[in-house]
Amino acid sequence: MEIIIADYSGFCGGVRRSVDLANKAIEENEISYSVGPLIHNPQLVSKLEGEGLKVFSKEEAEGIKNSTVLIRAHGESAKFKDKLIENGNELLDATCPVLMNIYKKIVEKEKEGYKVVIVGDKTHPEIIAMESFLNDGIIISDETEAKNIKGNGKLYVVSQTTNRLDYFYDIANKLKDNNDSVVIENTICKATENRQQAAKSLAKEVDCMIVAGGFNSSNTNKLYQVAGMYCKNVFRIETVKDLPLQKLSKFKKVGIIAGASTPDEIIEEVVSSMDEFTKEEFMNSLEDSLKK
Ligand code: SF4
């Protein structure tokens, strides 16, 4: 079996920065807190908890006082951050700079008189934080919702950073049906685009794809969708424990891609487990043929 790892796999710049900040917080403070999971990878979050980071829900975090509080890569609302500061906390803001840039753009456009429309998952922390910077933003996640937005003067449309390009443009273009002026700004981040492009190229080339990353990771789930468009056999795993080794044994060329929040250790474990399995399979088949 030939195993090929996609060109872009594992941590993006924003995730790496947030993990570095978490390590700094753990090193420098007796207790430090993260509001919600730092990134969408349960294994890494558990590891950081084991090293001393306390992960609190937003409600619990309201009670944190005079401590160091880490803001996750997906960001938080300005109001919530102000509240933490009022309580005497020092913030280590791991909000991805890509998101900071989007906040700036949408706030400017709203001031210029645009109605800002965000194409994304209403329940995702990135989108909840993004919308909080607007006075009157709209979040939509499908074409039907886009069709229902009518008669607005000027619309400025942005995307969740992890969306698929085709999904974003299909929905954003629908807004043109019932609104006079629609400015579409592709805010899908470069790291996402590179990984989706890599998933597409590799999926075309192999018999089977493995997509690794937290089951709660939006960007990893999108890679799974992209891989599924170009390859018939795609397996979604979180860790090496989910690898369907027996099913994989029938494939000659297997591609592996990991989401932007997947630690290198997980990718390495997956590759070495497959290597090991391939060697065992080879030895077993050699033994069988020698017996004949
Ligand atoms: S996927 Fe993009 S937006 Fe999200 S943390 Fe990484 S670089 Fe930032």
Side-chain angles (χ1 to χ4, degrees), residues 135-167:
N135 292 317
D136 192 19
I138 306 174
I139 306 170
I140 56 171
S141 53
D142 59 37
E143 292 186 31
T144 311
E145 286 179 320
K147 270 192 246 165
N148 290 337
I149 297 175
K150 294 177 184 163
N152 287 280
K154 300 190 288 183
L155 295 183
Y156 180 68
V157 193
V158 293
S159 173
Q160 184 166 349
T161 55
T162 50
N163 274 338
R164 288 196 337 258
L165 204 61
D166 59 329
Y167 166 88

Side-chain angles (χ1 to χ4, degrees), residues 67-83:
S67 301
T68 302
V69 182
L70 196 63
I71 301 296
R72 58 181 161 183
H74 297 117
E76 288 292 351
S77 73
K79 208 167 138 199
F80 180 69
K81 287 199 248 185
D82 287 346
K83 175 85 187 138

